[in-house]
Amino acid sequence: MRLIFSLLTYAGITYGGWSAYQHIPQVREIAQKTLNKSDFCTLEIRYTADEIMRVNKDQLLKGNGYSYLEPQLLYYPYVLMDVKYSKDRATTTEGTLLWGLTDGEMITNTTTWEKTHGFEDCLLSKADKNDFKVIKALVENSGAIDREKLYNHFNVDHDILDDWIDSCREKKLIVISGNKFRLHFAAPRIEIQPTTLLNQALVSQPAKYSSKVNKQYSPSQIGKLAQIAFGGDFTIRKSTEVFLPVYRIGIQNPDGSTRSVYVNALNGKLTSLR
């Protein structure tokens, strides 16, 4: 009897775990991370730390008494998504989308490492689809618009639009400036096609001795935001966690203090990644 009870308990736990893996993204993410500890997927390193330090010596070492410390290779987490969306009413486009899990912004071009600005604000404020409607209306009008023009922009009752406006103001996404509403983040860049120009190869790296930067956002959070931002025709077909190699180069100053700069190992450029 005890053996039967043990087998039934084991079967129940196994079924429950498999069901959770299939239907709960967070559980699947943890399981995949546990099973894939031996290696992980990264963008390929194209510049060595020695090359970067040599090329940027005049910029980074300001004079006598300044010296380099031992560089460290860090890996910044991103989610790589295979997506499809409607480019216009007659065309469906398939593409690849790379999104940062530390800064909450989407990469538009991996060669230049250009990225969006404003999506992290939307993540932090938990913006919904109506918030995005108002934000995009302001973006289309150079970031600011008066109430009457905003009313004319939407084919909805004024009371409904007032609720949308109040939601954006409460979430600190827009503010009143004079007689206009304006976006509460500088230089917005969110009204773009949901695709990344990905020109670099993906490679596998051993997990041993690799320093990964902690995620600030989960792939499921990013996926939910992308779905809201890009509309009902946007679909994520598959997502994979990948990493960007970044050198942290320490510099010792003549007074003994130190500072660090971060360099994208993919394009050799200084970066503001945090």
Side-chain angles (χ1 to χ4, degrees), residues 134 146-166 181:
V134 175
D146 61 44
R147 187 183 293 269
E148 193 60 36
K149 191 172 181 180
L150 195 56
Y151 282 150
N152 293 333
H153 185 88
F154 294 103
N155 186 27
V156 298
D157 291 340
H158 288 186
D159 289 344
I160 293 175
L161 182 54
D162 286 340
D163 288 340
W164 296 357
I165 293 169
D166 290 342
F181 299 109

Side-chain angles (χ1 to χ4, degrees), residues 70-87:
E70 187 69 24
Q72 182 182 9
L73 182 59
L74 305 175
Y75 288 94
Y76 277 76
Y78 286 76
V79 59
L80 183 67
M81 298 176 277
D82 290 340
V83 303
K84 61 180 180 178
Y85 58 96
S86 293
K87 194 169 184 178

Side-chain angles (χ1 to χ4, degrees), residues 119-153:
F119 281 122
E120 184 174 32
D121 295 81
C122 297
L123 269 171
L124 293 171
S125 66
K126 297 181 172 59
D128 60 28
K129 63 179 181 180
N130 294 326
D131 297 326
F132 266 100
K133 290 176 183 177
V134 175
I135 290 169
K136 288 182 178 181
L138 269 67
V139 170
E140 290 171 14
N141 287 271
S142 302
I145 191 173
D146 61 44
R147 187 183 293 269
E148 193 60 36
K149 191 172 181 180
L150 195 56
Y151 282 150
N152 293 333
H153 185 88

Side-chain angles (χ1 to χ4, degrees), residues 37-91:
K37 284 185 176 179
S38 58
D39 54 26
F40 61 99
C41 189
T42 82
L43 292 159
E44 188 175 10
I45 294 173
R46 300 183 66 187
Y47 293 86
T48 67
D50 287 341
E51 286 178 302
I52 291 166
M53 290 189 292
R54 184 177 67 253
V55 169
N56 294 282
K57 184 176 180 180
D58 291 341
Q59 179 183 357
L60 299 179
L61 301 184
K62 299 178 181 179
N64 294 331
Y66 293 87
S67 61
Y68 286 124
L69 302 175
E70 187 69 24
Q72 182 182 9
L73 182 59
L74 305 175
Y75 288 94
Y76 277 76
Y78 286 76
V79 59
L80 183 67
M81 298 176 277
D82 290 340
V83 303
K84 61 180 180 178
Y85 58 96
S86 293
K87 194 169 184 178
D88 51 53
R89 291 185 177 182
T91 307

Side-chain angles (χ1 to χ4, degrees), residues 143-146 169 174-183:
I145 191 173
D146 61 44
R169 292 186 64 197
I174 67 172
V175 294
I176 294 179
S177 181
N179 65 342
K180 290 186 175 183
F181 299 109
R182 66 169 176 83
L183 291 171

Side-chain angles (χ1 to χ4, degrees), residues 45-52 71-76 244-250 260-266 268 270-271:
I45 294 173
R46 300 183 66 187
Y47 293 86
T48 67
D50 287 341
E51 286 178 302
I52 291 166
Q72 182 182 9
L73 182 59
L74 305 175
Y75 288 94
Y76 277 76
L244 170 71
V246 173
Y247 294 112
R248 180 167 65 195
I249 298 174
S260 294
V261 296
Y262 295 81
V263 181
N264 185 327
L266 191 67
L270 294 176
T271 178

